Amino acid sequence: MKVTDSVKNVTGVTVGTSTAGSKAKAADKSTGAQPSSGATVTLSPLSSQLQALQSQISTSSAFDAKKVDAIKLAIADGQFQVDSKKIANELISSVKDLLQGRNSQR
């Protein structure tokens, strides 16, 4: 099993890439016309929320990178040992929490 980052950073977004737009750009280049500077883009409130969340996530550490590297190395060396008792206890605790959540909704 390979352990990799599941979150990718998106640094750039291209807006308005269509065949018609590409043809217009090509025509502008051939005639020497300058693109109009009056174009505006308005982001939805959801988009603004997503951008705020992205900046929060990028500044916080979601996991301990050193610990992840140590676990990767232990797995690669065949020295990683699973504590089945701890896993079972955490699984039972998680199920209890889920069941309590269902009971409180009724």
Side-chain angles (χ1 to χ4, degrees), residues 25-37:
K25 287 179 185 176
D28 286 345
K29 286 182 182 178
S30 65
T31 61
Q34 296 293 324
S36 66
S37 61

Side-chain angles (χ1 to χ4, degrees), residues 70-82:
I71 292 171
K72 282 182 183 181
L73 183 61
I75 291 171
D77 291 342
Q79 297 176 353
F80 184 76
Q81 294 183 352
V82 177

Side-chain angles (χ1 to χ4, degrees), residues 21-83:
S22 298
K23 289 179 182 176
K25 287 179 185 176
D28 286 345
K29 286 182 182 178
S30 65
T31 61
Q34 296 293 324
S36 66
S37 61
T40 61
V41 175
T42 304
L43 299 178
S44 70
L46 180 60
S47 175
S48 299
Q49 289 176 343
L50 288 173
Q51 286 180 340
L53 287 173
Q54 180 183 7
S55 65
Q56 286 176 356
I57 290 171
S58 66
T59 59
S60 69
S61 59
F63 61 93
D64 184 357
K66 290 180 182 179
K67 186 173 182 178
V68 171
D69 290 338
I71 292 171
K72 282 182 183 181
L73 183 61
I75 291 171
D77 291 342
Q79 297 176 353
F80 184 76
Q81 294 183 352
V82 177
D83 185 353

